[in-house]
Amino acid sequence: SYVLTQPPSVSVAPGKTARITCGENNIGTRSVHWYQQKSGRAPVLFIYYDTDRLAGIPERFSGSISGNTATLTITRVEAGDEADYYCQVWDSNSGLWVFGGGTKLTVL
Amino acid sequence: QVQLVQSGGGVVQPGGSLRLSCAASGFDSINYGIHWVRQAPGKGLEWVAVSWYDGTNKSYTDSVKGRFTVSRDHAKNTVSLQMNSLRAEDTAVYYCARDLSSYAFEIWGQGTLVTVSS
């Protein structure tokens, strides 16, 4: 089965840049989507089709892909960005939707 | 306002059944795939099932095949998840979600907790 690998946690100081990775072989052949989930809340789609921001999402959030890794970059990190972030793809081989394990972003 | 409102959930014994509902408002659900995603306590997101926009095609993750069934009521603009033969490992918050071009999950319900315990 298709597995997306994310680091369990990332810590960053306010005002700095956070990078959350999502890796798997051939990820470049798929569209990657990113979600933010705050404690006790439903996930929110932030980035879709690798790089597109959903309406209303700050420009501080951006997505990219290089080689076998997709990256969610958050610039000028704020305390309110503290949340779990998940990457997700549709696996065309199995016809199923797959999530990464999630990354907890801590703002120091 | 475009939203999904969930109902159902609760506590059920192992082997029991439960039905979750997801009511769409502000849009016609027949035009979209509606998914179910779950999250076990303290764990990550897991895709569970989908009813494609036409309602005839459905897919399930392997662990729920033969036990869970997704269905639509077009008149009520609602999608339901019938869960039978429930196991402890099905304990989770269940979310319904509207897809974005079939590949991502754009609109999410508020989630409902299902607890399978004796």
Side-chain angles (χ1 to χ4, degrees):
Chain A
S1 62
Y2 199 75
V3 177
L4 297 173
T5 302
Q6 296 184 238
S9 63
V10 168
S11 298
V12 63
K16 299 299 184 182
T17 297
R19 293 179 180 85
I20 298 173
T21 58
C22 175
E24 188 51 53
N25 289 338
N26 299 317
I27 199 170
T29 65
R30 311 181 191 281
S31 292
V32 181
H33 318 288
W34 290 93
Y35 302 83
Q36 179 195 68
Q37 185 182 33
K38 293 191 173 181
S39 181
R41 306 291 297 275
V44 176
L45 178 63
F46 263 44
I47 302 288
Y48 61 101
Y49 293 147
D50 303 334
T51 60
D52 293 345
R53 268 186 307 278
L54 211 63
I57 302 303
E59 292 184 4
R60 300 186 298 105
F61 292 82
S62 63
S64 62
I65 283 191
S66 179
N68 292 327
T69 302
T71 302
L72 174 68
T73 301
I74 311 170
T75 59
R76 302 184 303 282
V77 168
E78 304 172 356
D81 298 332
E82 195 161 273
D84 294 324
Y85 292 85
Y86 294 89
C87 60
Q88 175 256 315
V89 303
W90 180 68
D91 178 19
S92 57
N93 291 330
S94 64
L96 303 179
W97 289 259
V98 180
F99 286 95
T103 298
K104 182 176 181 61
L105 177 67
T106 299
V107 181
L108 301 171
Chain B
Q1 181 182 4
V2 173
Q3 62 178 351
L4 295 169
V5 179
Q6 298 182 228
S7 59
V11 180
V12 63
Q13 292 187 342
S17 298
L18 214 52
R19 188 178 183 88
L20 307 182
S21 290
C22 176
S25 64
F27 70 98
D28 192 346
S29 62
I30 196 173
N31 296 319
Y32 296 88
I34 302 294
H35 300 254
W36 291 91
V37 176
R38 68 185 177 183
Q39 187 170 35
K43 302 297 184 182
L45 302 171
E46 179 189 22
W47 176 82
V48 174
V50 62
S51 171
W52 289 97
Y53 66 93
D54 60 3
T56 58
N57 289 317
K58 304 161 189 179
S59 297
Y60 303 89
T61 192
D62 285 348
S63 63
V64 309
K65 280 181 182 176
R67 301 189 298 122
F68 290 12
T69 302
V70 62
S71 62
R72 288 181 181 252
D73 185 330
H74 294 306
K76 295 183 178 179
N77 208 16
T78 297
V79 179
S80 296
L81 183 68
Q82 177 67 40
M83 303 183 294
N84 299 329
S85 303
L86 283 162
R87 307 166 180 168
E89 54 265 35
D90 295 319
T91 294
V93 173
Y94 284 73
Y95 297 98
C96 61
R98 188 186 88 173
D99 72 14
L100 175 69
S101 301
S102 300
Y103 299 120
F105 311 111
E106 182 182 13
I107 308 293
W108 294 69
Q110 81 275 21
T112 187
L113 178 62
V114 171
T115 302
V116 184
S117 174
S118 54

